[in-house]
Amino acid sequence: MKNLFVKIAAAGVLMLAPAIAEAAEGYSTANVNMRAGPSTRYPAVAVIPAGSSVEIRGCLSDVNWCDVEFYGGRGWVSGQYVQALYQQRRVYVGPQYYRPLGIPMIRFSVDNYWDRYYRNRDFYRDRDRWSRGPDYYYRDRDNRDRDRDRDNRDRDRNWRERDGDRDRDWRDDNQRGDRQRDDRQRGERQRDDRRGDDRRPDRRNFDCRPGDPSCDQ
C-alpha cells in the first residue's frame, strides 16, 4: 500500500510539472520592442529597456520568438534579444534551451492573444486582417493605398479636365465678347462715317466766289 501511494504521488508530480514550469526569468540585452505578434511587422506595444527582467511565458518551435511579460504587459520579443540564466551563465534563449529552462513551446493565434491582451489598442479593430498574417495585412494595406492613390489621381485628372473645360469656355466667351465688341465698334464707326457723309455739304450746292478754283470743275 505504501508503494502505491508513492507511485500515485510521483505521477501527480509529473502531471503538475508542465503547469509549474510555465515561465522562466529572462533579461533583455538591448532596448527592444515588445510586439503584438512574433514578427517585426506586428505593431509595437512597448519598449523593454536593456537589462530589464522579463518573464518568458513560452516560445515558438519554428521561429525564435518568445511570449514575454513585462510590468504586467504581454507581447513578443525575438529570442536573440533575450538571455536567461543556465548553469550559472547567461545564454540567449533558443530552442535548445527551452526544455532545460522549463520554457514551454506554444503557438500564436491573433484572435485569442489579442482578445486577451489588446482589446483597448487601436490596431485591435484590424484584427481580422492581422489574423491572416502580417504579410497579408501589409499587402492588403498597400493595395488599399494604391487604390486610394489611383482614385486621387483620377479625381485630380477629372478636376483638371473640368478646369480645362471651364478655361476653354471662359476663353471662348472672352473671344466671342471681343468679336462682338469689335463688330459693334466697327458698326459704330461706319454709322459715324455715314452721318459724317450726310452732314458734309455737296460742293454743287456751294455758291462759288469769283476766282474760286473749285467752281471751275
Side-chain angles (χ1 to χ4, degrees):
M1 181 65 69
K2 184 176 180 180
N3 290 335
L4 179 61
F5 283 124
V6 171
K7 291 180 180 178
I8 293 174
V13 170
L14 291 175
M15 292 177 62
L16 290 174
I20 293 173
E22 62 180 5
E25 186 176 10
Y27 305 90
S28 63
T29 61
N31 295 332
V32 60
N33 284 320
M34 185 169 68
R35 296 187 176 273
S39 169
T40 56
R41 306 195 77 182
Y42 282 103
V45 297
V47 176
I48 303 176
S52 299
S53 176
V54 297
E55 289 291 323
I56 306 171
R57 294 296 180 180
C59 298
L60 300 178
S61 60
D62 52 345
V63 291
N64 190 17
W65 280 79
C66 296
D67 175 20
V68 304
E69 182 176 352
F70 176 68
Y71 277 97
R74 290 287 288 271
W76 291 81
V77 176
S78 172
Q80 64 180 335
Y81 295 108
V82 179
Q83 289 182 334
L85 191 62
Y86 175 69
Q87 295 181 351
Q88 305 303 315
R89 62 190 180 92
R90 287 189 179 185
V91 296
Y92 282 96
V93 174
Q96 70 273 27
Y97 295 111
Y98 291 170
R99 186 181 294 276
L101 292 171
I103 299 173
M105 286 186 290
I106 58 176
R107 295 181 178 180
F108 172 69
S109 168
V110 166
D111 293 334
N112 295 333
Y113 199 87
W114 286 24
D115 285 346
R116 189 177 303 170
Y117 301 116
Y118 300 136
R119 284 183 175 273
N120 62 337
R121 298 281 185 162
D122 291 338
F123 54 78
Y124 180 81
R125 62 175 176 265
D126 294 327
R127 183 182 75 257
D128 292 338
R129 285 198 294 271
W130 279 107
S131 64
R132 304 181 188 182
D135 292 336
Y136 176 88
Y137 172 80
Y138 280 101
R139 182 169 61 251
D140 181 56
R141 190 185 68 173
D142 292 342
N143 290 336
R144 286 183 284 120
D145 289 343
R146 281 195 295 271
D147 291 341
R148 184 168 58 250
D149 292 340
R150 184 167 56 250
D151 292 340
N152 289 337
R153 287 194 299 270
D154 292 342
R155 186 161 54 250
D156 292 341
R157 184 170 58 251
N158 292 335
W159 285 344
R160 287 194 298 271
E161 290 176 353
R162 286 198 296 270
D163 291 341
D165 292 340
R166 283 197 294 269
D167 290 340
R168 283 193 295 272
D169 293 340
W170 180 80
R171 287 195 298 269
D172 292 342
D173 291 341
N174 284 342
Q175 291 173 357
R176 191 179 304 110
D178 292 340
R179 287 195 298 271
Q180 292 175 351
R181 185 170 57 255
D182 292 341
D183 293 341
R184 188 167 54 252
Q185 292 175 351
R186 190 180 302 110
E188 290 175 353
R189 286 196 296 271
Q190 291 174 353
R191 285 195 297 273
D192 291 341
D193 291 342
R194 285 196 297 271
R195 284 198 296 271
D197 292 340
D198 293 340
R199 288 194 300 270
R200 188 180 301 116
D202 192 345
R203 288 184 302 176
R204 290 175 300 180
N205 297 329
F206 288 171
D207 293 333
C208 293
R209 297 179 181 178
D212 190 344
S214 61
C215 296
D216 298 336
Q217 297 179 356

